């Protein structure tokens, strides 16, 4: 895609308007974010009679309602069905809530789903390794990730 000044200005406008905080009094301003999301997920953007890009299957944008700036994710159903698999879930308890952060405690875990129902394990996540095998744990955006020495991710159970 070629980059031109008009497209650059539109892109900057989308980025600025799409994720700006909106006070409750001016909640109708969220309509523009809805329009942007709809355009991004339903069709190409046309500038000077040229199409730019393909419709997005998902849009990720910062939450303006939450002080931790967590992301909102909007995913089209066909993308979810083709690309996502529920792997595991954790039950968490917020134990401390401050203005721009909070602390949590994991209270339960499951990687077992039967007939659409979560079968809770009654414990926190755990990993199993073969004798002599080691895992390397890193704290990443979505929590702790365990990897074998060759970099393969090992999921908790």
């Amino acid at each position: 895609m070629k980059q031109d000044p008009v497209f650059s200005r539109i892109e900057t406008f989308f980025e600025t308007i799409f994720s700006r905080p909106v006070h409750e009094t001016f909640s109708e301003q969220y309509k523009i974010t809805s329009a942007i999301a709809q355009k991004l997920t339903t069709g190409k953007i046309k500038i000077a009679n040229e199409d730019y890009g393909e419709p997005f299957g998902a849009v990720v944008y910062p939450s303006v309602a939450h002080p931790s700036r967590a992301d909102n994710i909007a995913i089209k159903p066909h993308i979810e069905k083709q690309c996502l698999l529920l792997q595991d879930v954790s039950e968490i308890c917020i134990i401390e809530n401050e203005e721009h952060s909070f602390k949590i405690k994991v209270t339960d875990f499951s990687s077992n789903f039967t007939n659409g129902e979560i079968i809770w394990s009654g414990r926190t996540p755990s990993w199993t390794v073969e004798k002599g095998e080691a895992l390397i744990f890193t704290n990443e955006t979505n929590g702790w990730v365990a990897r074998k020495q060759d970099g393969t991710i090992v999921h908790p159970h």
Side-chain angles (χ1 to χ4, degrees), residues 61-129:
Y61 52 97
S63 169
V64 295
H66 197 280
S68 71
R69 301 295 289 169
D71 288 333
N72 289 318
I73 303 172
I75 303 172
K76 287 185 166 187
H78 76 276
I79 297 295
E80 178 269 329
K81 284 182 177 70
Q82 291 173 5
C83 303
L84 298 180
L85 173 67
L86 181 60
Q87 191 169 306
D88 57 62
V89 294
S90 291
E91 178 185 69
I92 62 170
C93 179
I94 297 173
I95 56 175
E96 191 174 311
N97 187 4
E98 296 180 11
E99 186 175 338
H100 294 287
S101 67
F102 53 89
K103 291 182 183 177
I104 64 166
K105 178 180 179 183
V106 176
T107 55
D108 208 341
F109 174 83
S110 178
S111 59
N112 185 6
F113 312 100
T114 304
N115 298 323
E117 185 177 332
I118 299 171
I119 310 301
W120 293 101
S121 65
R123 58 171 172 73
T124 58
S126 62
W127 291 260
T128 303
V129 295

Side-chain angles (χ1 to χ4, degrees), residues 43-55:
K44 298 177 181 178
I45 297 172
K46 189 177 281 289
I47 300 173
N49 293 324
E50 289 189 47
D51 288 333
Y52 287 90
E54 296 293 325

